[in-house]
Amino acid sequence: MMDSIALNKKTRITFLILSCIVCILICIGSYSGLAADDFYGKETANWKAQSIGQDMINLFLICPFLLVTAVMMLLKKEYAMYLWAGALSYLIYTYLIYCFNIHFNNYFIVYCSILGLCFYLFIYFIYFQIQKSTIKFEKRNTDKLNAIYFIIISIAFYFLWLLDIIPAILDNSIPQGVREVGLFTNPVQVIDLSIFLPGIFITGMLLLNQKPLGRLFSPILLTFFILMDFTIALLTIVMAKEGVSSGYTVAYVMAFLALFSLGLLLRTLKTANS
């Protein structure tokens, strides 16, 4: 990755304060979603179960992770900034869905505030890294392995989504998953097909071509993978227990991918610091 850049103390404190604000807002929105029985009353049973499960994950996994990594940055643990940025990318992805695909409620401004804060924190972090970096690029085996993994994941999920979308288009119908959640489109497919999967593929190609930006985004994406794969696994379990889906196969696959991504992340950080 790009040479590790020591954030100045003022920047680290700013990141910690803003991370605390983000977590306070998340706690307000997610706790409200869990405390009120009819909070997601306008959603279908499937989408309600997913929303409740996501609120639990936000409160008990994502908020602690964001705060811990922000504190680690303050303590000058340089690798923590990539984990922190990965958590921000997860929150941007997640709150795009909250803002566009949860029926309007009293916490709409809270959702928008979280999305805006996380987006601009992430943009500033990337800008800071690009502006301040002294770029060196020594060939590492981890780069090739991560690149192949990113390319395979992006192509595989493109194929998976198109298997759901193309038959529906040919039949002039709506995919079953969209009908179950009661939405106009599948928000995950929208984000993945238009932004996220192309970004993963591009990062893989950057790594293969030994471009510094590939190394910058590599640990960030791996952190995102771990958090998102774990989220999908937990949501699958929640939905199965609520009777709105059957089987735990997806949970097993996502748990495996989360562990595999964790292994790659640890290897990447270890190599970068050696």
PDB file of all heavy atoms in Angstrom, residues 20 24 36 52 65 90 98 100 132 146 156 166-167 173 178 183 192 194 206 224 232 246 261:
ATOM      1  N   CYS A  20     -17.280   9.857  17.074  1.00  0.00           N
ATOM      2  CA  CYS A  20     -18.192   9.812  18.225  1.00  0.00           C
ATOM      3  C   CYS A  20     -19.565  10.368  17.846  1.00  0.00           C
ATOM      4  O   CYS A  20     -20.601   9.814  18.237  1.00  0.00           O
ATOM      5  CB  CYS A  20     -17.612  10.602  19.396  1.00  0.00           C
ATOM      6  SG  CYS A  20     -16.177   9.835  20.173  1.00  0.00           S
ATOM      7  N   ILE A  24     -23.084   8.376  17.953  1.00  0.00           N
ATOM      8  CA  ILE A  24     -24.245   8.871  18.700  1.00  0.00           C
ATOM      9  C   ILE A  24     -25.482   8.871  17.812  1.00  0.00           C
ATOM     10  O   ILE A  24     -26.569   8.428  18.213  1.00  0.00           O
ATOM     11  CB  ILE A  24     -23.973  10.279  19.258  1.00  0.00           C
ATOM     12  CG1 ILE A  24     -22.932  10.212  20.384  1.00  0.00           C
ATOM     13  CG2 ILE A  24     -25.268  10.918  19.781  1.00  0.00           C
ATOM     14  CD1 ILE A  24     -22.432  11.568  20.832  1.00  0.00           C
ATOM     15  N   ALA A  36     -39.165   0.516  19.392  1.00  0.00           N
ATOM     16  CA  ALA A  36     -40.586   0.654  19.040  1.00  0.00           C
ATOM     17  C   ALA A  36     -41.036  -0.518  18.172  1.00  0.00           C
ATOM     18  O   ALA A  36     -40.439  -0.786  17.125  1.00  0.00           O
ATOM     19  CB  ALA A  36     -40.805   1.972  18.304  1.00  0.00           C
ATOM     20  N   ILE A  52     -34.385  -4.587  11.318  1.00  0.00           N
ATOM     21  CA  ILE A  52     -34.153  -4.806  12.754  1.00  0.00           C
ATOM     22  C   ILE A  52     -32.787  -5.454  12.973  1.00  0.00           C
ATOM     23  O   ILE A  52     -32.027  -5.072  13.869  1.00  0.00           O
ATOM     24  CB  ILE A  52     -35.273  -5.676  13.355  1.00  0.00           C
ATOM     25  CG1 ILE A  52     -36.585  -4.885  13.372  1.00  0.00           C
ATOM     26  CG2 ILE A  52     -34.910  -6.149  14.759  1.00  0.00           C
ATOM     27  CD1 ILE A  52     -37.793  -5.703  13.787  1.00  0.00           C
ATOM     28  N   PHE A  65     -16.691  -0.896  16.692  1.00  0.00           N
ATOM     29  CA  PHE A  65     -15.550  -1.038  15.780  1.00  0.00           C
ATOM     30  C   PHE A  65     -15.050   0.334  15.332  1.00  0.00           C
ATOM     31  O   PHE A  65     -13.837   0.589  15.317  1.00  0.00           O
ATOM     32  CB  PHE A  65     -15.963  -1.872  14.563  1.00  0.00           C
ATOM     33  CG  PHE A  65     -14.829  -2.201  13.631  1.00  0.00           C
ATOM     34  CD1 PHE A  65     -14.053  -3.331  13.844  1.00  0.00           C
ATOM     35  CD2 PHE A  65     -14.535  -1.385  12.548  1.00  0.00           C
ATOM     36  CE1 PHE A  65     -12.995  -3.638  12.987  1.00  0.00           C
ATOM     37  CE2 PHE A  65     -13.491  -1.677  11.684  1.00  0.00           C
ATOM     38  CZ  PHE A  65     -12.719  -2.823  11.913  1.00  0.00           C
ATOM     39  N   TYR A  90     -18.352   0.976   4.888  1.00  0.00           N
ATOM     40  CA  TYR A  90     -19.492   0.128   5.245  1.00  0.00           C
ATOM     41  C   TYR A  90     -20.705   0.984   5.606  1.00  0.00           C
ATOM     42  O   TYR A  90     -21.831   0.703   5.173  1.00  0.00           O
ATOM     43  CB  TYR A  90     -19.103  -0.771   6.416  1.00  0.00           C
ATOM     44  CG  TYR A  90     -20.249  -1.578   7.002  1.00  0.00           C
ATOM     45  CD1 TYR A  90     -20.467  -2.894   6.617  1.00  0.00           C
ATOM     46  CD2 TYR A  90     -21.101  -1.034   7.960  1.00  0.00           C
ATOM     47  CE1 TYR A  90     -21.505  -3.635   7.147  1.00  0.00           C
ATOM     48  CE2 TYR A  90     -22.139  -1.756   8.493  1.00  0.00           C
ATOM     49  CZ  TYR A  90     -22.339  -3.064   8.085  1.00  0.00           C
ATOM     50  OH  TYR A  90     -23.378  -3.785   8.615  1.00  0.00           O
ATOM     51  N   TYR A  98     -30.579   2.942   4.001  1.00  0.00           N
ATOM     52  CA  TYR A  98     -31.503   3.542   4.976  1.00  0.00           C
ATOM     53  C   TYR A  98     -32.189   4.770   4.381  1.00  0.00           C
ATOM     54  O   TYR A  98     -33.398   4.954   4.525  1.00  0.00           O
ATOM     55  CB  TYR A  98     -30.746   3.966   6.241  1.00  0.00           C
ATOM     56  CG  TYR A  98     -30.642   2.922   7.319  1.00  0.00           C
ATOM     57  CD1 TYR A  98     -29.569   2.042   7.364  1.00  0.00           C
ATOM     58  CD2 TYR A  98     -31.602   2.821   8.324  1.00  0.00           C
ATOM     59  CE1 TYR A  98     -29.450   1.096   8.373  1.00  0.00           C
ATOM     60  CE2 TYR A  98     -31.498   1.889   9.340  1.00  0.00           C
ATOM     61  CZ  TYR A  98     -30.419   1.025   9.358  1.00  0.00           C
ATOM     62  OH  TYR A  98     -30.306   0.088  10.357  1.00  0.00           O
ATOM     63  N   PHE A 100     -32.633   5.745   1.200  1.00  0.00           N
ATOM     64  CA  PHE A 100     -33.447   5.594  -0.004  1.00  0.00           C
ATOM     65  C   PHE A 100     -34.491   4.492   0.086  1.00  0.00           C
ATOM     66  O   PHE A 100     -35.462   4.499  -0.682  1.00  0.00           O
ATOM     67  CB  PHE A 100     -32.543   5.318  -1.212  1.00  0.00           C
ATOM     68  CG  PHE A 100     -31.803   6.521  -1.709  1.00  0.00           C
ATOM     69  CD1 PHE A 100     -30.454   6.680  -1.435  1.00  0.00           C
ATOM     70  CD2 PHE A 100     -32.449   7.513  -2.432  1.00  0.00           C
ATOM     71  CE1 PHE A 100     -29.756   7.794  -1.885  1.00  0.00           C
ATOM     72  CE2 PHE A 100     -31.756   8.635  -2.885  1.00  0.00           C
ATOM     73  CZ  PHE A 100     -30.409   8.771  -2.606  1.00  0.00           C
ATOM     74  N   LYS A 132      -0.387  13.480   0.932  1.00  0.00           N
ATOM     75  CA  LYS A 132       0.753  13.427   1.845  1.00  0.00           C
ATOM     76  C   LYS A 132       1.688  12.245   1.601  1.00  0.00           C
ATOM     77  O   LYS A 132       2.739  12.147   2.225  1.00  0.00           O
ATOM     78  CB  LYS A 132       0.262  13.370   3.304  1.00  0.00           C
ATOM     79  CG  LYS A 132      -0.602  14.562   3.722  1.00  0.00           C
ATOM     80  CD  LYS A 132       0.186  15.845   3.697  1.00  0.00           C
ATOM     81  CE  LYS A 132      -0.657  17.019   4.214  1.00  0.00           C
ATOM     82  NZ  LYS A 132       0.090  18.285   4.196  1.00  0.00           N
ATOM     83  N   ASN A 146      -4.416 -10.512  -3.342  1.00  0.00           N
ATOM     84  CA  ASN A 146      -5.555  -9.609  -3.110  1.00  0.00           C
ATOM     85  C   ASN A 146      -6.209  -9.205  -4.429  1.00  0.00           C
ATOM     86  O   ASN A 146      -7.438  -9.138  -4.522  1.00  0.00           O
ATOM     87  CB  ASN A 146      -5.093  -8.357  -2.365  1.00  0.00           C
ATOM     88  CG  ASN A 146      -4.719  -8.638  -0.926  1.00  0.00           C
ATOM     89  OD1 ASN A 146      -4.915  -9.741  -0.432  1.00  0.00           O
ATOM     90  ND2 ASN A 146      -4.164  -7.648  -0.254  1.00  0.00           N
ATOM     91  N   ALA A 156     -17.906 -12.571  -9.773  1.00  0.00           N
ATOM     92  CA  ALA A 156     -18.851 -13.555  -9.235  1.00  0.00           C
ATOM     93  C   ALA A 156     -20.162 -12.898  -8.825  1.00  0.00           C
ATOM     94  O   ALA A 156     -21.255 -13.419  -9.120  1.00  0.00           O
ATOM     95  CB  ALA A 156     -18.219 -14.284  -8.045  1.00  0.00           C
ATOM     96  N   ILE A 166     -31.627 -10.658 -15.267  1.00  0.00           N
ATOM     97  CA  ILE A 166     -31.882 -10.894 -16.695  1.00  0.00           C
ATOM     98  C   ILE A 166     -33.120 -11.760 -16.944  1.00  0.00           C
ATOM     99  O   ILE A 166     -33.959 -11.408 -17.799  1.00  0.00           O
ATOM    100  CB  ILE A 166     -30.636 -11.484 -17.376  1.00  0.00           C
ATOM    101  CG1 ILE A 166     -29.524 -10.426 -17.416  1.00  0.00           C
ATOM    102  CG2 ILE A 166     -30.960 -11.966 -18.798  1.00  0.00           C
ATOM    103  CD1 ILE A 166     -28.221 -10.905 -17.997  1.00  0.00           C
ATOM    104  N   PRO A 167     -33.322 -12.880 -16.213  1.00  0.00           N
ATOM    105  CA  PRO A 167     -34.556 -13.655 -16.439  1.00  0.00           C
ATOM    106  C   PRO A 167     -35.818 -12.840 -16.185  1.00  0.00           C
ATOM    107  O   PRO A 167     -36.814 -12.986 -16.902  1.00  0.00           O
ATOM    108  CB  PRO A 167     -34.428 -14.805 -15.435  1.00  0.00           C
ATOM    109  CG  PRO A 167     -32.963 -14.973 -15.225  1.00  0.00           C
ATOM    110  CD  PRO A 167     -32.415 -13.579 -15.274  1.00  0.00           C
ATOM    111  N   SER A 173     -41.058  -9.412 -15.813  1.00  0.00           N
ATOM    112  CA  SER A 173     -41.552  -9.577 -14.445  1.00  0.00           C
ATOM    113  C   SER A 173     -40.599  -8.882 -13.474  1.00  0.00           C
ATOM    114  O   SER A 173     -39.630  -8.243 -13.879  1.00  0.00           O
ATOM    115  CB  SER A 173     -41.673 -11.063 -14.099  1.00  0.00           C
ATOM    116  OG  SER A 173     -40.407 -11.705 -14.166  1.00  0.00           O
ATOM    117  N   VAL A 178     -37.067  -8.699  -4.975  1.00  0.00           N
ATOM    118  CA  VAL A 178     -37.619  -7.339  -4.939  1.00  0.00           C
ATOM    119  C   VAL A 178     -39.063  -7.372  -4.449  1.00  0.00           C
ATOM    120  O   VAL A 178     -39.496  -6.521  -3.661  1.00  0.00           O
ATOM    121  CB  VAL A 178     -37.539  -6.683  -6.333  1.00  0.00           C
ATOM    122  CG1 VAL A 178     -38.187  -5.302  -6.313  1.00  0.00           C
ATOM    123  CG2 VAL A 178     -36.088  -6.578  -6.785  1.00  0.00           C
ATOM    124  N   LEU A 183     -40.014  -3.297  -2.461  1.00  0.00           N
ATOM    125  CA  LEU A 183     -39.378  -2.079  -2.938  1.00  0.00           C
ATOM    126  C   LEU A 183     -39.475  -1.981  -4.458  1.00  0.00           C
ATOM    127  O   LEU A 183     -39.840  -2.947  -5.130  1.00  0.00           O
ATOM    128  CB  LEU A 183     -37.912  -2.054  -2.503  1.00  0.00           C
ATOM    129  CG  LEU A 183     -37.649  -2.136  -0.989  1.00  0.00           C
ATOM    130  CD1 LEU A 183     -36.164  -2.271  -0.710  1.00  0.00           C
ATOM    131  CD2 LEU A 183     -38.222  -0.918  -0.273  1.00  0.00           C
ATOM    132  N   ASP A 192     -24.204  -2.196  -5.885  1.00  0.00           N
ATOM    133  CA  ASP A 192     -23.166  -3.123  -6.348  1.00  0.00           C
ATOM    134  C   ASP A 192     -22.893  -2.971  -7.838  1.00  0.00           C
ATOM    135  O   ASP A 192     -21.740  -2.838  -8.264  1.00  0.00           O
ATOM    136  CB  ASP A 192     -23.571  -4.566  -6.048  1.00  0.00           C
ATOM    137  CG  ASP A 192     -23.349  -4.947  -4.598  1.00  0.00           C
ATOM    138  OD1 ASP A 192     -22.860  -4.092  -3.832  1.00  0.00           O
ATOM    139  OD2 ASP A 192     -23.647  -6.089  -4.235  1.00  0.00           O
ATOM    140  N   SER A 194     -23.613  -0.574  -9.984  1.00  0.00           N
ATOM    141  CA  SER A 194     -23.234   0.742 -10.507  1.00  0.00           C
ATOM    142  C   SER A 194     -21.943   1.291  -9.916  1.00  0.00           C
ATOM    143  O   SER A 194     -21.193   2.001 -10.602  1.00  0.00           O
ATOM    144  CB  SER A 194     -24.360   1.748 -10.259  1.00  0.00           C
ATOM    145  OG  SER A 194     -24.646   1.856  -8.872  1.00  0.00           O
ATOM    146  N   LEU A 206      -5.636  -2.315 -10.431  1.00  0.00           N
ATOM    147  CA  LEU A 206      -4.591  -1.399  -9.975  1.00  0.00           C
ATOM    148  C   LEU A 206      -3.482  -2.158  -9.252  1.00  0.00           C
ATOM    149  O   LEU A 206      -2.296  -1.864  -9.422  1.00  0.00           O
ATOM    150  CB  LEU A 206      -5.189  -0.337  -9.046  1.00  0.00           C
ATOM    151  CG  LEU A 206      -6.059   0.745  -9.695  1.00  0.00           C
ATOM    152  CD1 LEU A 206      -6.734   1.594  -8.627  1.00  0.00           C
ATOM    153  CD2 LEU A 206      -5.241   1.616 -10.639  1.00  0.00           C
ATOM    154  N   PHE A 224     -14.032  -3.753   4.732  1.00  0.00           N
ATOM    155  CA  PHE A 224     -15.435  -3.694   4.318  1.00  0.00           C
ATOM    156  C   PHE A 224     -15.993  -5.101   4.113  1.00  0.00           C
ATOM    157  O   PHE A 224     -17.110  -5.408   4.561  1.00  0.00           O
ATOM    158  CB  PHE A 224     -15.566  -2.889   3.030  1.00  0.00           C
ATOM    159  CG  PHE A 224     -16.962  -2.866   2.470  1.00  0.00           C
ATOM    160  CD1 PHE A 224     -17.842  -1.852   2.809  1.00  0.00           C
ATOM    161  CD2 PHE A 224     -17.409  -3.877   1.621  1.00  0.00           C
ATOM    162  CE1 PHE A 224     -19.142  -1.838   2.306  1.00  0.00           C
ATOM    163  CE2 PHE A 224     -18.698  -3.867   1.114  1.00  0.00           C
ATOM    164  CZ  PHE A 224     -19.562  -2.855   1.452  1.00  0.00           C
ATOM    165  N   ILE A 232     -24.225  -9.933   6.508  1.00  0.00           N
ATOM    166  CA  ILE A 232     -25.127 -10.769   5.702  1.00  0.00           C
ATOM    167  C   ILE A 232     -25.374 -12.110   6.388  1.00  0.00           C
ATOM    168  O   ILE A 232     -26.498 -12.619   6.388  1.00  0.00           O
ATOM    169  CB  ILE A 232     -24.547 -10.966   4.287  1.00  0.00           C
ATOM    170  CG1 ILE A 232     -24.484  -9.626   3.553  1.00  0.00           C
ATOM    171  CG2 ILE A 232     -25.400 -11.956   3.490  1.00  0.00           C
ATOM    172  CD1 ILE A 232     -23.745  -9.680   2.237  1.00  0.00           C
ATOM    173  N   SER A 246     -35.547 -19.328   4.328  1.00  0.00           N
ATOM    174  CA  SER A 246     -35.283 -20.700   4.770  1.00  0.00           C
ATOM    175  C   SER A 246     -33.833 -21.049   4.532  1.00  0.00           C
ATOM    176  O   SER A 246     -33.234 -20.655   3.528  1.00  0.00           O
ATOM    177  CB  SER A 246     -36.180 -21.691   4.008  1.00  0.00           C
ATOM    178  OG  SER A 246     -35.960 -21.593   2.620  1.00  0.00           O
ATOM    179  N   SER A 261     -11.345 -13.174   4.123  1.00  0.00           N
ATOM    180  CA  SER A 261     -10.969 -11.753   3.999  1.00  0.00           C
ATOM    181  C   SER A 261     -10.139 -11.311   5.200  1.00  0.00           C
ATOM    182  O   SER A 261      -9.190 -10.524   5.056  1.00  0.00           O
ATOM    183  CB  SER A 261     -12.221 -10.884   3.878  1.00  0.00           C
ATOM    184  OG  SER A 261     -12.948 -11.193   2.712  1.00  0.00           O
TER     185      SER A 261
END
